[in-house]
Amino acid sequence: AKVLGKNALKIIVDNIKNFDYEKFWEFYLLYEEFMHKTLPHDDESLRETLNKTYTKPDISLIPKYEKALLENPEALDYLRRVRGFTDETIGHFHLGYHEEYKAISIPTFRDGELVNIKYRIISPTGAKYIGEKGAETWLFHETGLDFAQKSGRVLIVEGEFDCISAYQAGVKNVISPAS
């Protein structure tokens, strides 16, 4: 995990919600420098990706998956015992259960609107994660930026469960870039 200071945080918070391509590019290069690695990219493919139209998941899936989670002892045990999440945390992040995938559903919101659902397979034999096809990739726990503005710092972690764990431990200014 990395903690960004006020200058980098200002670039993120001031520009991420009111997207601006040039500011994004500035942040992207800052992120590469901060993480000490170069990410593969070219200007044209990045512009194409940023102008893409996305499919939004059906919001009615969230309560359906939450209900399915409460009815599945194995899935609840995975979140409570294996991951160490409390029922309060599970509810806060609207975690649920997708029966067909046998996976934990992890919704992602942008400005309060559902933009993606990622699924973590409980007992994977192949890929651990499945995502909604055509859905937008966005920051997980976007509201962590609101907490970050107040504290002047943001903690960036690798994945959604890392983010949820940090939040449960009291670190509210946490986000995951989500992949």
Side-chain angles (χ1 to χ4, degrees), residues 24-43:
F24 171 79
W25 194 247
E26 181 182 341
F27 168 71
Y28 188 81
L29 296 175
L30 179 65
Y31 177 80
E32 284 185 329
E33 180 182 334
F34 182 75
M35 297 302 287
H36 304 292
K37 64 181 175 182
T38 302
L39 305 172
H41 58 73
D42 69 73
D43 197 49

Side-chain angles (χ1 to χ4, degrees), residues 1 9 21 55 60 63-64 73 77 85 123 129 133 157 166 172 177:
L9 178 62
Y21 175 80
T55 304
S60 71
K64 174 185 171 186
D77 184 61
F85 298 154
S123 299
Y129 290 93
K133 291 191 185 342
V157 295
K172 306 303 184 203

Side-chain angles (χ1 to χ4, degrees), residues 115-178:
V115 294
N116 203 342
I117 304 174
K118 194 171 181 180
Y119 304 95
R120 183 5 170 130
I121 311 300
I122 294 176
S123 299
T125 55
K128 288 183 183 179
Y129 290 93
I130 300 171
E132 290 285 323
K133 291 191 185 342
E136 181 177 7
T137 299
W138 186 242
L139 296 175
F140 182 75
H141 190 238
E142 174 189 68
T143 57
L145 292 176
D146 298 330
F147 290 105
Q149 283 181 302
K150 293 174 188 157
S151 70
R153 299 186 315 170
V154 63
L155 174 64
I156 302 174
V157 295
E158 182 180 359
E160 293 86 357
F161 284 166
D162 301 322
C163 187
I164 293 169
S165 294
Y167 181 90
Q168 182 172 283
V171 181
K172 306 303 184 203
N173 55 329
V174 59
I175 60 170
S176 170

Side-chain angles (χ1 to χ4, degrees), residues 3-167:
V3 178
L4 294 180
K6 289 188 179 192
N7 291 339
L9 178 62
K10 183 167 176 36
I11 293 170
I12 296 169
V13 173
D14 288 351
N15 298 292
I16 204 158
K17 290 186 179 180
N18 301 315
F19 187 80
D20 175 289
Y21 175 80
E22 298 304 323
K23 290 293 184 180
F24 171 79
W25 194 247
E26 181 182 341
F27 168 71
Y28 188 81
L29 296 175
L30 179 65
Y31 177 80
E32 284 185 329
E33 180 182 334
F34 182 75
M35 297 302 287
H36 304 292
K37 64 181 175 182
T38 302
L39 305 172
H41 58 73
D42 69 73
D43 197 49
E44 268 320 297
S45 66
L46 187 56
R47 281 187 193 275
E48 185 179 304
T49 299
L50 295 174
N51 292 323
K52 185 177 176 181
T53 302
Y54 298 98
T55 304
K56 297 204 183 296
D58 181 357
I59 190 71
S60 71
L61 292 173
I62 301 304
K64 174 185 171 186
Y65 292 158
E66 288 175 313
K67 183 177 185 283
L69 176 64
L70 296 175
E71 296 169 352
N72 188 300
E74 178 190 3
L76 272 173
D77 184 61
Y78 173 79
L79 291 174
R80 289 174 177 158
R81 192 179 53 77
V82 177
R83 291 292 177 170
F85 298 154
T86 65
D87 290 344
E88 181 181 346
T89 298
I90 291 167
H92 177 79
F93 286 95
H94 300 285
L95 301 179
Y97 182 70
H98 189 294
E99 293 179 44
E100 184 181 338
Y101 295 158
K102 298 191 182 327
I104 302 300
S105 61
I106 310 165
T108 298
F109 299 90
R110 180 177 184 173
D111 295 325
E113 182 178 3
L114 179 66
V115 294
N116 203 342
I117 304 174
K118 194 171 181 180
Y119 304 95
R120 183 5 170 130
I121 311 300
I122 294 176
S123 299
T125 55
K128 288 183 183 179
Y129 290 93
I130 300 171
E132 290 285 323
K133 291 191 185 342
E136 181 177 7
T137 299
W138 186 242
L139 296 175
F140 182 75
H141 190 238
E142 174 189 68
T143 57
L145 292 176
D146 298 330
F147 290 105
Q149 283 181 302
K150 293 174 188 157
S151 70
R153 299 186 315 170
V154 63
L155 174 64
I156 302 174
V157 295
E158 182 180 359
E160 293 86 357
F161 284 166
D162 301 322
C163 187
I164 293 169
S165 294
Y167 181 90

